[in-house]
Amino acid sequence: MTGVDGDPRVAELRGAVARLRRQLAVLPGELPDRAAADEELAALDAMVSHGMPEVPRLRRSLLLIAGAVGSVSALSPALSEVRAGIDRFGPLPGAR
């Protein structure tokens, strides 16, 4: 049994990541950093699926994903859900 079994934060974050991945997949038009966003979303999902993730690594993933898709307003609500899911794991160590 891993440390994430039954943790509602994990289920919520995985759901938010899945929604953002689906919305990114059907986004019309060219997005130069689409591949980078897809890769980081897959890494984020794997991270929370295989043990308790480290908050600094979650935050780094969020920054990479936001940098890749942050200017696409259609993805803003789904990106906000991912951020909220990450926020539930707590602040960065040493942050106030």
Side-chain angles (χ1 to χ4, degrees):
M1 189 174 218
T2 67
V4 297
D5 286 345
D7 189 333
R9 299 174 302 174
V10 170
E12 183 178 331
L13 181 53
R14 290 193 75 204
V17 166
R19 282 186 289 282
L20 181 54
R21 289 178 88 179
R22 282 192 304 271
Q23 289 181 13
L24 182 60
V26 298
L27 186 71
E30 187 64 30
L31 182 62
D33 293 329
R34 184 186 302 258
D38 281 332
E39 289 173 15
E40 198 58 35
L41 285 163
L44 183 57
D45 185 56
M47 200 183 327
V48 296
S49 298
H50 296 99
M52 191 55 66
E54 297 176 10
V55 173
R57 180 65 179 103
L58 291 174
R59 301 263 176 212
R60 180 181 178 277
S61 287
L62 178 61
L63 286 173
L64 292 171
I65 295 164
V69 303
S71 64
V72 181
S73 61
L75 299 175
S76 183
L79 182 59
S80 293
E81 285 184 37
V82 170
R83 179 181 180 196
I86 289 172
D87 286 347
R88 286 181 179 77
F89 284 89
L92 277 170
R96 290 183 180 226

